[in-house]
Amino acid sequence: MPQAATRRFSVHARHIDHHHARQLDETSFEAAAVAYVEDFHPPVAEDSEMRVIVREVGTSHEHCFTIDLETGATSPCS
């Protein structure tokens, strides 16, 4: 089975200044959001959720995801 192409994403936690974003190569916006949380362990707010902003570098398209740090569930920001 062919592998999905990776794209370059700029990712940062919503409560952290975007100047501290990380550059990641992933196959989707969601994969970049999860990789950011798994690899970089940014500071967490008091609740168990984190909001992550993911911008595709090539197109500047941007998405926000809420990640439940206890269950790992990912959903679009409301």
Side-chain angles (χ1 to χ4, degrees), residues 10-60:
S10 175
V11 187
H12 69 280
R14 192 173 184 181
H15 65 280
I16 297 176
D17 187 78
H18 73 277
H19 288 80
H20 297 286
R22 303 286 183 161
Q23 299 285 312
L24 300 169
D25 294 322
E26 289 293 338
T27 57
S28 68
F29 286 89
E30 294 88 348
V34 171
Y36 175 82
V37 173
E38 288 177 345
D39 291 344
F40 300 112
H41 307 289
V44 179
E46 291 180 11
D47 60 11
S48 65
E49 293 184 339
M50 176 182 291
R51 285 169 184 75
V52 177
I53 308 296
V54 181
R55 183 179 59 85
E56 186 177 14
V57 174
T59 65
S60 295

